Amino acid sequence: MRNGYDFRWILILSALFTFSDASSQTVNQELSNVFNELWKLDVNRLKPGTHYNISLQGKAGYIPQGSTSAVDHASSPLFTSVDEAKLNSITTYARFMKLLDNYERSTGVAERVTADEVTENNSFLDAVLETAVMKRAHRYLIGKGKSRSDLRQFKSQLYYMWFRLYHRDRNGGEDSSGFEHVFVGETKFGREIMGLHNWVQFYLQEKQELLDYKGYKARDNDAPNDDDHVLNVQFSWHGLVKPVASAFVGVSPEFEMAIFTILFLTSTEKTTTAVVNLDEYQLEMVVHRHGRSIGTAYPKLLSSNNRHV
Protein backbone atom coordinates (compact mmCIF):
# COMPACT_ATOMS: atom_id res chain seq x y z
CA MET A 1 0.00 0.00 0.00
CA ARG A 2 2.80 2.43 0.88
CA ASN A 3 4.34 2.11 -2.58
CA GLY A 4 0.96 3.01 -4.08
CA TYR A 5 0.68 6.12 -1.91
CA ASP A 6 4.26 7.11 -2.73
CA PHE A 7 3.51 6.78 -6.43
CA ARG A 8 0.37 8.91 -6.12
CA TRP A 9 2.30 11.59 -4.20
CA ILE A 10 4.97 11.59 -6.91
CA LEU A 11 2.25 12.14 -9.51
CA ILE A 12 0.66 14.93 -7.50
CA LEU A 13 3.97 16.70 -6.86
CA SER A 14 4.95 16.28 -10.50
CA ALA A 15 1.67 17.83 -11.58
CA LEU A 16 2.13 20.72 -9.18
CA PHE A 17 5.63 21.46 -10.43
CA THR A 18 4.45 21.14 -14.01
CA PHE A 19 1.60 23.54 -13.30
CA SER A 20 3.95 25.97 -11.57
CA ASP A 21 6.38 25.86 -14.48
CA ALA A 22 3.56 26.24 -17.03
CA SER A 23 2.05 29.18 -15.18
CA SER A 24 5.43 30.92 -15.12
CA GLN A 25 5.53 30.63 -18.90
CA THR A 26 2.11 32.14 -19.50
CA VAL A 27 3.28 35.76 -19.58
CA ASN A 28 4.72 36.76 -22.96
CA GLN A 29 7.78 38.66 -21.77
CA GLU A 30 8.87 39.92 -25.18
CA LEU A 31 5.48 41.49 -25.88
CA SER A 32 5.34 42.78 -22.32
CA ASN A 33 8.65 44.54 -22.87
CA VAL A 34 7.74 46.19 -26.16
CA PHE A 35 4.24 47.14 -24.97
CA ASN A 36 5.74 48.80 -21.89
CA GLU A 37 8.09 50.72 -24.17
CA LEU A 38 5.07 51.94 -26.11
CA TRP A 39 3.29 52.77 -22.84
CA LYS A 40 6.18 55.03 -21.80
CA LEU A 41 6.23 56.65 -25.25
CA ASP A 42 2.49 57.40 -25.16
CA VAL A 43 2.79 61.10 -24.33
CA ASN A 44 -0.78 61.62 -25.56
CA ARG A 45 -2.25 59.40 -22.86
CA LEU A 46 -4.64 61.51 -20.80
CA LYS A 47 -4.28 61.76 -17.04
CA PRO A 48 -7.16 60.64 -14.81
CA GLY A 49 -8.24 63.35 -12.40
CA THR A 50 -6.72 65.98 -14.66
CA HIS A 51 -7.99 65.46 -18.20
CA TYR A 52 -10.95 63.24 -17.34
CA ASN A 53 -12.81 61.81 -14.35
CA ILE A 54 -14.75 58.56 -14.06
CA SER A 55 -17.27 57.30 -11.52
CA LEU A 56 -17.17 53.49 -11.21
CA GLN A 57 -20.18 53.16 -8.89
CA GLY A 58 -21.53 49.61 -8.50
CA LYS A 59 -20.48 46.18 -9.66
CA ALA A 60 -22.59 44.88 -12.54
CA GLY A 61 -24.29 41.51 -12.33
CA TYR A 62 -24.27 38.55 -14.69
CA ILE A 63 -26.47 38.64 -17.77
CA PRO A 64 -26.35 36.34 -20.81
CA GLN A 65 -25.30 37.45 -24.28
CA GLY A 66 -28.23 38.77 -26.31
CA SER A 67 -30.00 40.37 -23.34
CA THR A 68 -31.92 43.60 -23.90
CA SER A 69 -32.04 44.66 -20.26
CA ALA A 70 -29.86 44.58 -17.16
CA VAL A 71 -30.11 45.80 -13.59
CA ASP A 72 -28.44 49.20 -13.52
CA HIS A 73 -25.75 49.36 -10.84
CA ALA A 74 -24.65 52.83 -11.92
CA SER A 75 -27.16 55.68 -11.78
CA SER A 76 -24.67 58.11 -13.35
CA PRO A 77 -22.45 57.94 -16.44
CA LEU A 78 -19.00 56.38 -16.22
CA PHE A 79 -17.38 59.61 -17.43
CA THR A 80 -18.23 62.55 -15.21
CA SER A 81 -15.99 64.90 -17.19
CA VAL A 82 -13.60 64.86 -20.16
CA ASP A 83 -11.46 67.78 -21.26
CA GLU A 84 -12.64 67.96 -24.87
CA ALA A 85 -10.42 70.96 -25.55
CA LYS A 86 -7.46 68.75 -24.66
CA LEU A 87 -8.72 65.99 -26.97
CA ASN A 88 -9.19 68.39 -29.86
CA SER A 89 -5.75 69.92 -29.30
CA ILE A 90 -4.03 66.57 -29.98
CA THR A 91 -3.88 65.78 -33.70
CA THR A 92 -4.40 62.03 -33.47
CA TYR A 93 -7.47 62.38 -31.22
CA ALA A 94 -8.96 65.19 -33.34
CA ARG A 95 -8.58 63.21 -36.56
CA PHE A 96 -9.70 59.99 -34.85
CA MET A 97 -12.98 61.55 -33.70
CA LYS A 98 -13.81 62.61 -37.26
CA LEU A 99 -13.93 58.92 -38.23
CA LEU A 100 -16.48 57.85 -35.65
CA ASP A 101 -19.57 58.90 -37.64
CA ASN A 102 -18.46 57.32 -40.92
CA TYR A 103 -20.10 53.92 -40.40
CA GLU A 104 -23.41 52.07 -40.52
CA ARG A 105 -24.03 50.57 -37.10
CA SER A 106 -25.79 47.39 -38.24
CA THR A 107 -24.01 44.49 -39.88
CA GLY A 108 -25.69 43.40 -43.10
CA VAL A 109 -25.95 47.04 -44.23
CA ALA A 110 -23.25 47.74 -46.82
CA GLU A 111 -20.84 50.54 -45.98
CA ARG A 112 -20.51 53.35 -48.49
CA VAL A 113 -17.17 55.05 -48.15
CA THR A 114 -16.97 58.50 -49.69
CA ALA A 115 -13.85 60.17 -51.05
CA ASP A 116 -13.92 62.53 -48.06
CA GLU A 117 -13.97 59.57 -45.68
CA VAL A 118 -10.98 57.97 -47.43
CA THR A 119 -9.17 61.29 -47.02
CA GLU A 120 -10.07 61.31 -43.31
CA ASN A 121 -8.77 57.74 -42.90
CA ASN A 122 -5.47 58.65 -44.55
CA SER A 123 -5.15 61.87 -42.57
CA PHE A 124 -5.61 59.94 -39.33
CA LEU A 125 -2.99 57.35 -40.31
CA ASP A 126 -0.56 60.11 -41.30
CA ALA A 127 -0.90 61.60 -37.81
CA VAL A 128 -0.50 58.20 -36.15
CA LEU A 129 2.65 57.44 -38.16
CA GLU A 130 4.25 60.64 -36.88
CA THR A 131 3.96 59.58 -33.23
CA ALA A 132 6.83 58.03 -31.27
CA VAL A 133 4.52 55.15 -30.36
CA MET A 134 3.88 54.01 -33.92
CA LYS A 135 7.47 54.73 -35.00
CA ARG A 136 8.68 52.31 -32.29
CA ALA A 137 6.05 49.74 -33.28
CA HIS A 138 7.18 50.05 -36.91
CA ARG A 139 10.83 49.46 -35.96
CA TYR A 140 9.84 46.39 -33.95
CA LEU A 141 7.86 44.95 -36.87
CA ILE A 142 10.73 45.64 -39.29
CA GLY A 143 13.04 43.74 -36.95
CA LYS A 144 10.59 40.82 -36.95
CA GLY A 145 10.39 40.85 -40.74
CA LYS A 146 6.66 41.59 -40.59
CA SER A 147 6.69 45.09 -42.14
CA ARG A 148 8.75 46.91 -44.75
CA SER A 149 10.88 49.88 -43.74
CA ASP A 150 9.29 52.03 -46.47
CA LEU A 151 6.75 54.26 -44.71
CA ARG A 152 4.30 54.25 -47.61
CA GLN A 153 4.24 50.46 -47.65
CA PHE A 154 3.74 50.35 -43.88
CA LYS A 155 0.88 52.82 -44.16
CA SER A 156 -0.73 50.67 -46.86
CA GLN A 157 -0.37 47.64 -44.59
CA LEU A 158 -2.07 49.51 -41.74
CA TYR A 159 -4.84 50.75 -44.03
CA TYR A 160 -5.59 47.22 -45.25
CA MET A 161 -5.59 45.81 -41.70
CA TRP A 162 -7.79 48.48 -40.17
CA PHE A 163 -9.88 50.12 -42.91
CA ARG A 164 -10.42 47.51 -45.63
CA LEU A 165 -14.12 46.70 -45.87
CA TYR A 166 -15.20 43.06 -45.67
CA HIS A 167 -18.32 40.93 -45.15
CA ARG A 168 -19.14 40.27 -41.51
CA ASP A 169 -22.75 39.38 -42.31
CA ARG A 170 -22.88 37.10 -45.37
CA ASN A 171 -26.33 38.35 -46.32
CA GLY A 172 -25.26 41.90 -47.08
CA GLY A 173 -22.51 43.79 -48.83
CA GLU A 174 -19.17 44.78 -47.38
CA ASP A 175 -20.46 45.89 -44.01
CA SER A 176 -17.52 46.02 -41.61
CA SER A 177 -13.86 46.79 -40.98
CA GLY A 178 -11.40 46.32 -38.17
CA PHE A 179 -11.53 50.00 -37.27
CA GLU A 180 -15.32 50.10 -37.17
CA HIS A 181 -15.60 47.00 -35.01
CA VAL A 182 -12.89 47.85 -32.47
CA PHE A 183 -13.18 51.62 -32.17
CA VAL A 184 -16.76 52.46 -33.22
CA GLY A 185 -18.89 49.40 -32.44
CA GLU A 186 -21.52 47.43 -34.37
CA THR A 187 -24.77 45.60 -33.79
CA LYS A 188 -25.53 42.13 -35.14
CA PHE A 189 -29.06 41.26 -36.28
CA GLY A 190 -30.33 43.93 -33.90
CA ARG A 191 -29.68 41.49 -31.04
CA GLU A 192 -26.04 41.82 -30.05
CA ILE A 193 -23.42 44.54 -29.52
CA MET A 194 -20.09 43.75 -31.13
CA GLY A 195 -16.83 45.55 -30.54
CA LEU A 196 -16.87 49.11 -29.17
CA HIS A 197 -13.69 48.84 -27.14
CA ASN A 198 -12.62 52.48 -27.28
CA TRP A 199 -12.97 54.90 -24.39
CA VAL A 200 -13.41 58.07 -26.50
CA GLN A 201 -16.30 56.53 -28.42
CA PHE A 202 -17.75 55.27 -25.11
CA TYR A 203 -17.63 58.80 -23.68
CA LEU A 204 -19.11 60.45 -26.79
CA GLN A 205 -21.95 57.91 -26.94
CA GLU A 206 -22.64 58.45 -23.23
CA LYS A 207 -22.69 62.20 -23.79
CA GLN A 208 -25.33 61.77 -26.50
CA GLU A 209 -27.33 59.51 -24.14
CA LEU A 210 -27.07 56.61 -26.59
CA LEU A 211 -24.99 54.48 -24.22
CA ASP A 212 -25.82 53.67 -20.59
CA TYR A 213 -23.08 52.44 -18.26
CA LYS A 214 -24.40 49.66 -15.98
CA GLY A 215 -21.39 49.11 -13.72
CA TYR A 216 -17.93 47.58 -13.65
CA LYS A 217 -17.06 43.88 -13.83
CA ALA A 218 -14.36 42.50 -11.54
CA ARG A 219 -13.54 39.74 -9.10
CA ASP A 220 -14.35 40.52 -5.47
CA ASN A 221 -10.69 40.87 -4.53
CA ASP A 222 -9.76 43.01 -7.53
CA ALA A 223 -12.12 45.99 -7.60
CA PRO A 224 -10.97 48.79 -9.93
CA ASN A 225 -9.99 52.34 -8.99
CA ASP A 226 -11.01 55.65 -10.55
CA ASP A 227 -7.51 56.15 -11.93
CA ASP A 228 -7.23 52.75 -13.65
CA HIS A 229 -6.35 52.77 -17.36
CA VAL A 230 -8.01 49.40 -18.13
CA LEU A 231 -11.56 48.44 -17.17
CA ASN A 232 -14.09 45.65 -17.65
CA VAL A 233 -17.55 47.21 -17.89
CA GLN A 234 -21.18 46.43 -18.71
CA PHE A 235 -23.34 48.81 -20.74
CA SER A 236 -26.37 49.16 -22.98
CA TRP A 237 -26.24 50.77 -26.42
CA HIS A 238 -29.18 51.41 -28.72
CA GLY A 239 -31.42 49.12 -26.69
CA LEU A 240 -28.97 46.21 -26.48
CA VAL A 241 -26.75 45.17 -23.58
CA LYS A 242 -23.11 44.11 -23.69
CA PRO A 243 -22.61 41.77 -20.68
CA VAL A 244 -18.92 42.62 -20.40
CA ALA A 245 -16.56 44.72 -22.48
CA SER A 246 -12.91 45.45 -21.89
CA ALA A 247 -11.26 48.70 -22.83
CA PHE A 248 -8.28 50.90 -22.19
CA VAL A 249 -9.15 54.28 -20.66
CA GLY A 250 -7.25 57.48 -21.34
CA VAL A 251 -4.75 55.93 -23.75
CA SER A 252 -4.19 57.43 -27.19
CA PRO A 253 -5.61 55.90 -30.37
CA GLU A 254 -2.08 55.41 -31.68
CA PHE A 255 -1.19 53.31 -28.63
CA GLU A 256 -4.14 50.98 -29.14
CA MET A 257 -3.52 50.73 -32.87
CA ALA A 258 0.18 50.00 -32.29
CA ILE A 259 -0.18 47.18 -29.77
CA PHE A 260 -2.96 45.44 -31.68
CA THR A 261 -1.06 45.81 -34.95
CA ILE A 262 1.97 44.14 -33.38
CA LEU A 263 -0.10 41.29 -31.97
CA PHE A 264 -1.87 40.80 -35.31
CA LEU A 265 1.23 40.86 -37.51
CA THR A 266 3.42 38.66 -35.31
CA SER A 267 0.98 35.74 -35.48
CA THR A 268 -0.79 33.79 -38.21
CA GLU A 269 -3.40 32.20 -35.94
CA LYS A 270 -7.09 32.86 -36.56
CA THR A 271 -7.34 34.02 -32.95
CA THR A 272 -4.23 35.19 -31.14
CA THR A 273 -4.05 35.65 -27.39
CA ALA A 274 -1.10 36.75 -25.28
CA VAL A 275 -0.86 37.43 -21.56
CA VAL A 276 1.23 40.55 -20.88
CA ASN A 277 2.20 42.59 -17.86
CA LEU A 278 1.65 46.22 -18.80
CA ASP A 279 2.37 48.93 -16.26
CA GLU A 280 0.39 47.82 -13.17
CA TYR A 281 -1.99 45.55 -15.12
CA GLN A 282 -1.98 41.97 -16.24
CA LEU A 283 -3.91 41.62 -19.48
CA GLU A 284 -4.86 38.96 -21.93
CA MET A 285 -4.54 40.63 -25.32
CA VAL A 286 -6.89 39.21 -27.95
CA VAL A 287 -6.86 39.66 -31.72
CA HIS A 288 -9.08 37.80 -34.17
CA ARG A 289 -8.24 38.01 -37.85
CA HIS A 290 -10.53 38.35 -40.84
CA GLY A 291 -8.16 37.33 -43.63
CA ARG A 292 -5.40 39.95 -43.69
CA SER A 293 -7.54 42.40 -41.75
CA ILE A 294 -8.47 42.71 -38.09
CA GLY A 295 -11.77 41.14 -37.07
CA THR A 296 -11.64 42.25 -33.45
CA ALA A 297 -9.03 43.29 -30.91
CA TYR A 298 -9.32 44.07 -27.22
CA PRO A 299 -7.57 43.80 -23.84
CA LYS A 300 -9.06 41.45 -21.28
CA LEU A 301 -8.23 42.71 -17.79
CA LEU A 302 -6.94 39.86 -15.61
CA SER A 303 -5.72 41.91 -12.63
CA SER A 304 -4.93 45.52 -11.79
CA ASN A 305 -2.96 47.54 -9.25
CA ASN A 306 -0.11 45.00 -9.37
CA ARG A 307 -2.22 42.34 -7.64
CA HIS A 308 -0.73 39.71 -9.97
CA VAL A 309 2.81 40.40 -8.69
Side-chain angles (χ1 to χ4, degrees), residues 152-287:
R152 288 172 299 179
Q153 289 180 305
F154 184 49
K155 180 183 174 183
S156 295
Q157 187 179 31
L158 290 176
Y159 198 103
Y160 196 91
M161 286 173 50
W162 288 101
F163 292 105
R164 180 186 72 89
L165 294 178
Y166 52 73
H167 295 263
R168 195 175 291 273
D169 185 338
R170 295 178 181 178
N171 296 323
E174 294 179 330
D175 59 352
S176 187
S177 69
F179 183 90
E180 178 187 8
H181 183 92
V182 174
F183 292 103
V184 184
E186 305 174 287
T187 58
K188 182 179 181 180
F189 306 133
R191 296 196 301 267
E192 181 182 341
I193 299 170
M194 301 192 303
L196 211 171
H197 297 288
N198 178 258
W199 74 273
V200 177
Q201 171 72 338
F202 193 104
Y203 160 68
L204 292 173
Q205 293 293 294
E206 258 195 340
K207 182 183 174 183
Q208 296 175 59
E209 299 184 349
L210 297 172
L211 185 152
D212 184 18
Y213 170 63
K214 301 294 185 183
Y216 66 86
K217 298 287 289 184
R219 294 190 298 271
D220 290 336
N221 62 343
D222 198 15
N225 297 324
D226 288 345
D227 62 353
D228 282 353
H229 279 292
V230 193
L231 293 174
N232 294 331
V233 298
Q234 185 178 103
F235 63 89
S236 64
W237 188 49
H238 293 283
L240 302 173
V241 179
K242 186 145 189 173
V244 59
S246 303
F248 287 104
V249 182
V251 304
S252 69
E254 60 264 29
F255 175 81
E256 292 190 77
M257 187 166 276
I259 60 172
F260 292 131
T261 294
I262 287 173
L263 189 60
F264 179 86
L265 289 176
T266 53
S267 172
T268 57
E269 298 295 322
K270 182 75 172 176
T271 299
T272 301
T273 61
V275 175
V276 298
N277 291 333
L278 178 63
D279 192 54
E280 64 183 49
Y281 313 99
Q282 186 166 86
L283 310 171
E284 181 182 20
M285 306 298 296
V286 181
V287 167

Side-chain angles (χ1 to χ4, degrees), residues 66-97:
S67 299
T68 56
S69 63
V71 176
D72 197 340
H73 294 272
S75 59
S76 301
L78 174 62
F79 288 92
T80 57
S81 67
V82 173
D83 186 347
E84 291 192 34
K86 177 70 173 178
L87 285 181
N88 285 298
S89 72
I90 301 171
T91 305
T92 51
Y93 283 100
R95 295 184 184 180
F96 170 80
M97 290 188 288

Side-chain angles (χ1 to χ4, degrees), residues 107-119:
T107 58
V109 179
E111 297 289 350
R112 291 178 177 84
V113 182
T114 68
D116 285 344
E117 289 171 350
V118 171
T119 299

